[in-house]
């Protein structure tokens, strides 16, 4: 069993999706996005990056990193999807640090950053978001109620020149950034915040 902060194994030329988040807790909606983006982008692997804590969110209800990594590994049964908390070991707080490190330390891999439409809507609030968009291609997956806000967001408008049609999604991993795709598809109404709220209500 790999350690909590171990980087997953990979090989030269692999097309790897990066799906970051608090996963507090992980749920079937997250797994749906992972499976759909892997299929649509024709990825070889997907790495779930369980963050020490989102700088834009309240951490008062944040479960310990090790618990969140183990829960994600227990829920995911696809051997091509690997879960790691390596950002904590590296001391990374921001996504730009993570993508810069992976882009340079594993330069012969083809990474794609994956996010939900709700994240695209707020992407302009991320630290050095332009640097992220200029480092890796990005795949955005539709989320219930977020499409209009996401596609009209500051980041989407600023990056409009780099958007490709979803029918061309398989080539995304090979494109030079800034390049991104908006994927429509099956959606789940589950949310981590709603799950936590329901748990509070029961106690």
């Amino acid at each position: 069993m790999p350690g909590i902060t171990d980087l997953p194994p990979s090989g030269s030329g692999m097309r790897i999706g990066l799906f970051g988040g608090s996963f507090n807790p992980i749920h079937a909606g997250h797994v749906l996005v992972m499976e759909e983006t892997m299929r649509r982008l024709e990825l070889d692997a997907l790495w779930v990056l369980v963050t020490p804590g989102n700088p834009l969110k309240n951490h008062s209800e944040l479960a310990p990193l090790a618990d969140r990594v183990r829960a994600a590994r227990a829920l995911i049964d696809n051997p091509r999807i690997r879960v790691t908390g390596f950002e904590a070991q590296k001391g990374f707080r921001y996504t730009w640090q993570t993508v810069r490190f992976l882009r340079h330390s594993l330069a012969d891999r083809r990474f794609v950053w994956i996010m939900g439409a709700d994240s695209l809507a707020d992407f302009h609030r991320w630290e050095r978001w332009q640097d992220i968009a200029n480092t890796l291609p990005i795949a955005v997956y539709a989320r219930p109620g977020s499409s209009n806000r996401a596609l009209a967001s500051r980041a989407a408008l600023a990056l409009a020149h780099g958007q490709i049609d979803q029918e061309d999604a398989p080539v995304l991993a090979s494109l030079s950034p800034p390049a991104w795709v908006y994927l429509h598809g099956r959606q789940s109404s589950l949310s981590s915040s709603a799950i936590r709220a329901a748990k509070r209500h029961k106690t």
Side-chain angles (χ1 to χ4, degrees):
M1 175 66 70
I4 297 298
T5 59
D6 290 350
L7 263 184
S10 63
S12 177
M14 283 184 65
R15 300 153 60 91
I16 302 169
L18 304 173
F19 189 33
S22 302
F23 301 105
N24 187 45
I26 193 165
H27 53 70
H30 292 131
V31 180
L32 184 152
V33 173
M34 296 172 201
E35 297 280 3
E36 286 294 298
T37 52
M38 277 194 70
R39 179 179 65 82
R40 303 272 290 276
L41 301 177
E42 299 182 3
L43 301 175
D44 299 307
L46 188 147
W47 294 356
V48 180
L49 309 180
V50 182
T51 67
N54 186 330
L56 298 177
K57 292 184 179 179
N58 185 331
H59 295 176
S60 62
E61 296 182 302
L62 189 64
L65 176 70
D67 292 353
R68 289 180 282 128
V69 170
R70 292 190 188 101
R73 288 176 177 174
L75 183 64
I76 297 166
D77 60 8
N78 187 328
R80 294 192 295 140
I81 301 178
R82 302 296 186 95
V83 183
T84 177
F86 94 98
E87 290 170 302
Q89 189 263 332
K90 294 290 183 183
F92 296 159
R93 291 190 63 233
Y94 299 106
T95 297
W96 69 264
Q97 297 171 306
T98 300
V99 299
R100 183 180 65 176
F101 169 79
L102 291 174
R103 183 70 186 81
H104 288 100
S105 63
L106 297 171
D108 56 357
R109 277 63 159 174
R110 297 177 180 175
F111 290 111
V112 176
W113 186 261
I114 297 167
M115 67 168 74
D118 51 336
S119 293
L120 176 61
D122 295 323
F123 191 37
H124 63 279
R125 298 177 57 209
W126 292 27
E127 187 87 5
R128 292 173 64 166
W129 65 273
Q130 296 100 328
D131 290 344
I132 300 169
N134 286 320
T135 301
L136 299 181
I138 297 172
V140 181
Y141 196 85
R143 288 289 305 275
S146 296
S147 291
N148 291 340
R149 192 166 69 93
L151 292 172
S153 67
R154 177 177 163 188
L157 296 175
L159 299 171
H161 62 287
Q163 185 177 6
I164 65 172
D165 292 336
Q166 61 177 342
E167 289 76 15
D168 297 324
V171 306
L172 181 67
S174 302
L175 297 179
S176 297
W180 65 287
V181 65
Y182 190 94
L183 299 174
H184 299 273
R186 294 188 299 129
Q187 299 178 38
S188 168
S189 60
L190 290 172
S191 76
S192 297
S193 56
I195 292 171
R196 293 195 304 272
K199 193 175 295 184
R200 285 197 306 270
H201 185 69
K202 288 181 179 178
T203 58

